[in-house]
Amino acid sequence: MKLPSPFPENPPPGPFRPGFWKSPLRGPWLTSILGSILLVGLTIVASTGFLSHAAYEPGLGGNAIVPTDLDIPLIGIGFPNSISWLYAATQGLHVTVGYAVVPLLLAKLWSVMPRLFKWPPTDSPAEGIERALIGLLVASAVFQLATGIANAQNWYPFKFNFVVAHYYGAIIFLASIVLHVAIKIPVMRRAYRERGVLKPLREDLAATRPEPWDHDGLVAKDPDAPTISRRGLLAFAGGSAFLVAIANAGQFLGGPFRSLAFLGPRSTGHGDGPNDFPVNKTFAGAKIPEDGVGDSWRLKLQAGDKVVELSREDLLAMPQRTETLPIACVEGWSAERQWTGVRLQDLAALVGGAGTVTVDSLQPKGVLRKATLGNQHVRQSKSLLALRVNGEDISRDHGFPARVIVPGLPGVHCTKWVSTMTFGRSA
Amino acid sequence: MKAKYGRSPLHLLGHLAALAFVGWALLQAFEMSRFAYFVAWMIGAVLLHDALLWPLYSVMDRVVRTADGLATGHGRRLSALNHVRVPVGMWLVLGLVYLPVILERGEGNFTRVSGQTWDGHLGRWLLTGAVLFAASAILYGIRVARASRTWSTPSSRPVT
């Protein structure tokens, strides 16, 4: 039995009529190859995004930006801290591949545009529900790219909290892409079986023919002569993705590559000398009190009721360690420097602290003015309370008198202008 | 069941699972302030592509194709179509991705957090365009020169 269609039989004029679509390139193979390439990119972007969420350790202290009772209950998985450049790499990939995905998504959407204007819009409940999910997929994909790009370029045209919105947007995207891929795998396999995975790439413009007509609605019924080959179209999309990526990639490759990031917002350093690397929050911007960082500054260490106060001289008199570690921002830039200071585990030992540590900054208010670090970060011997960078005192913008630097920890959790460190108590 | 629904029961269950998960995410997002803006931006994202970007580049492509068709029809033998739309397309996509920094939309925030200003992004984007268009023009020039040499001296072609 077939349900009666609520739609008139004749399509409205324009793109709803099959004759509107003239491109000889569209077809299941083209959409499959574009979808396959896009899937690789989106997998990198999505997995690095969820890794970043885990790296913020939202289960600890006041770290959560997405409230923990409104989060997926697997946030305790943690983030490895043995590879110091891991967060710099995953977040650099998240932003740079996220940029590069834009032209690939545009090409993929172009290849399936006739399906948006399919007539009748649905001919079964199955198709209706499938199209609803496709709508969510397109909405969340474009939403994630648009909000991510705006955030990485410090532009906030939206009134919602970026982190929260980008997180729930990612969940909607994840749910709809998993289903979409599962449904389209048979279509892709058929296209690759019938046409070969890479065989159509051997065709130059003169050899480019339309794919055989089928009922999927992608192949034009009455196509024009081709003006570009399929491999030309892929080179166009891929070349655009490459151009977009190299305009930013230097920001996370760092060193001599930084100045090659010709459109990256962080392509320049910050001042001169050893402190010449980007800042995410300036001394003035964080409204750090002038008198708070003078000679009267004391670091307060706390574990239970045991309290120790140390001046900067006291800290410099303790065993100093030098570690080469990157400072890596969620916005996708990073810079590797040599940090000198006191190990976090040595500070914990002074007060008999164990477990996690909550690090407070002198910053009077604002999100991320403090962060809680997991036990694995405190125990990691490369984790420092840094006093110097590349052989010089840390500048005020980089956190003078002292800042935290931990391998593989998001930059905003490497608290600057540290005032208090509250450790857990050993049992 | 299959006849009325249109696909297998697995299709239905998969979609119900995904929709339930999306519903959960929306329910959590509802707790955040400005939930209405979140939904409006989701809808706006679809409109941005389907109602703005796609019609815009389709019309631009049609204009370039028509102009090229007219020019080739008037005796110019080599189509310049892809020598125009490929560099222009790449350049516009680059501009779209870096729109906030090119238009310095977030410079106030950027200066507040970093103590620096943005300089020259618009200029560097324009220069990128200059390089892309010049490279494409040189390639086209080489192709035209080669083609006219072949056409003007047919006897120089190897006899097969």
Side-chain angles (χ1 to χ4, degrees):
Chain A
M1 192 196 98
K2 202 165 159 47
L3 292 171
S5 173
F7 305 104
E9 206 173 311
N10 284 329
F16 293 97
R17 303 220 166 137
F20 178 86
W21 303 95
K22 293 288 190 187
S23 171
L25 298 192
R26 285 197 184 97
W29 181 85
L30 185 72
T31 297
S32 296
I33 196 83
L34 285 168
S36 304
I37 298 167
L38 186 59
L39 185 61
V40 173
L42 289 174
T43 304
I44 294 172
V45 180
S47 54
T48 50
F50 283 107
L51 273 175
S52 176
H53 184 69
Y56 273 73
E57 300 182 284
L60 297 179
N63 286 357
I65 302 175
V66 176
T68 42
D69 58 330
L70 302 176
D71 201 345
I72 302 176
L74 44 86
I75 49 175
I77 54 170
F79 191 79
N81 67 336
S82 46
I83 310 165
S84 64
W85 47 263
L86 190 61
Y87 190 73
T90 62
Q91 209 47 35
L93 282 174
H94 183 69
V95 174
T96 305
V97 178
Y99 282 163
V101 150
V102 172
L104 301 174
L105 180 66
L106 286 172
K108 167 70 168 56
L109 289 176
W110 172 83
S111 81
V112 294
M113 276 317 270
R115 301 208 23 114
L116 178 65
F117 299 98
K118 180 188 174 290
W119 197 265
T122 64
D123 42 28
S124 68
E127 193 177 16
I129 197 171
E130 198 176 311
R131 295 199 68 186
L133 250 304
I134 300 271
L136 282 167
L137 176 60
V138 176
S140 57
V142 180
F143 177 88
Q144 288 301 89
L145 293 176
T147 53
I149 284 171
N151 179 67
Q153 298 176 32
N154 303 82
W155 183 37
Y156 299 95
F158 31 75
K159 298 195 168 161
F160 42 74
N161 179 304
F162 165 74
V163 176
V164 178
H166 203 61
Y167 184 65
Y168 290 127
I171 291 173
I172 296 173
F173 171 75
L174 185 68
S176 43
I177 188 87
V178 166
L179 199 68
H180 184 62
V181 171
I183 287 175
K184 294 302 180 187
I185 279 176
V187 183
M188 279 170 54
R189 288 184 56 168
R190 197 184 331 122
Y192 288 151
R193 200 174 51 237
E194 286 173 4
R195 312 256 306 146
V197 180
L198 299 175
K199 219 169 111 205
L201 295 180
R202 288 191 215 134
E203 299 159 359
D204 62 6
L205 182 58
T208 301
R209 304 271 178 279
E211 293 187 45
W213 191 84
D214 66 2
H215 288 276
D216 241 15
L218 293 179
V219 181
K221 270 192 166 163
D222 177 25
D224 284 341
T227 55
I228 190 168
S229 62
R230 288 188 179 83
R231 65 184 183 198
L233 182 73
L234 289 186
F236 184 12
S240 303
F242 181 72
L243 178 67
V244 163
I246 57 163
N248 185 71
Q251 289 198 159
F252 85 92
L253 297 174
F257 297 105
R258 185 176 308 283
S259 53
L260 296 180
F262 60 95
L263 290 179
R266 296 289 189 157
S267 51
T268 50
H270 186 83
D272 296 313
N275 281 288
D276 171 24
F277 54 99
V279 167
N280 187 45
K281 207 183 275 168
T282 58
F283 183 83
K287 300 198 165 57
I288 306 299
E290 268 310 309
D291 53 359
V293 297
D295 290 341
S296 63
W297 175 82
R298 293 290 178 275
L299 171 70
K300 188 174 165 192
L301 302 173
Q302 223 173 334
D305 45 17
K306 179 115 196 242
V307 176
V308 169
E309 290 203 348
L310 300 169
S311 69
R312 201 165 190 276
E313 283 65 43
D314 296 335
L315 286 166
L316 283 167
M318 289 176 70
Q320 300 291 302
R321 298 281 295 229
T322 298
E323 301 290 351
T324 304
L325 298 172
I327 179 88
C329 183
V330 68
E331 286 159 17
W333 56 263
S334 51
E336 194 172 73
R337 289 294 183 276
Q338 282 189 317
W339 310 87
T340 305
V342 183
R343 292 195 300 191
L344 294 190
Q345 45 178 257
D346 292 347
L347 295 172
L350 282 182
V351 285
T356 63
V357 62
T358 300
V359 185
D360 274 81
S361 128
L362 290 166
Q363 190 183 339
K365 58 181 181 183
V367 283
L368 297 164
R369 52 166 296 283
K370 66 173 175 179
T372 300
L373 279 50
N375 182 35
Q376 79 278 19
H377 294 308
V378 182
R379 302 215 61 77
Q380 154 70 266
S381 64
K382 289 182 177 174
S383 299
L384 302 178
L385 181 72
L387 306 164
R388 298 164 68 79
V389 63
N390 278 17
E392 258 189 30
D393 281 347
I394 279 180
S395 72
R396 283 183 162 196
D397 282 340
H398 285 301
F400 184 89
R403 76 168 302 163
V404 169
I405 183 82
V406 169
L409 195 69
V412 285
H413 274 196
C414 294
T415 304
K416 304 197 279 192
W417 315 292
V418 174
S419 63
T420 308
M421 299 176 82
T422 311
F423 293 91
R425 201 80 180 106
S426 44
Chain B
M1 152 94 202
K2 188 164 179 172
K4 272 189 185 157
Y5 175 64
R7 295 284 294 273
S8 74
L10 208 58
H11 183 276
L12 178 61
L13 285 173
H15 277 81
L16 289 180
L19 282 174
F21 196 29
V22 168
W24 174 83
L26 288 174
L27 195 66
Q28 312 310 305
F30 185 71
E31 300 283 321
M32 76 180 183
S33 56
R34 319 278 189 177
F35 175 69
Y37 288 93
F38 176 73
V39 174
W41 266 69
M42 278 277 173
I43 297 166
V46 178
L47 294 177
L48 171 70
H49 178 267
D50 293 354
L52 184 68
L53 294 179
W54 174 70
L56 203 64
Y57 74 68
S58 297
V59 167
M60 284 167 59
D61 188 59
R62 174 58 58 89
V63 170
V64 178
R65 271 191 295 152
T66 309
D68 182 69
L70 290 175
T72 353
H74 283 101
R76 215 183 65 204
R77 285 178 257 194
L78 206 59
S79 164
L81 180 56
N82 292 328
H83 287 275
V84 174
R85 65 178 172 182
V86 171
V88 170
M90 290 173 78
W91 183 62
L92 289 180
V93 166
L94 189 69
L96 178 71
V97 170
Y98 294 96
L99 193 73
V101 77
I102 287 170
L103 297 181
E104 303 184 354
R105 301 305 301 178
E107 193 172 20
N109 289 319
F110 181 70
T111 304
R112 202 152 39 245
V113 298
S114 71
Q116 291 180 296
T117 52
W118 280 332
D119 280 316
H121 286 82
L122 175 62
R124 285 197 290 276
W125 176 61
L126 291 170
L127 280 180
T128 313
V131 172
L132 287 172
F133 305 145
S136 187
I138 290 168
L139 272 178
Y140 183 65
I142 292 171
R143 287 186 57 209
V144 168
R146 271 198 194 153
S148 61
R149 207 166 43 228
T150 322
W151 286 332
S152 57
T153 54
S155 57
S156 67
R157 263 187 266 168
V159 182
T160 48

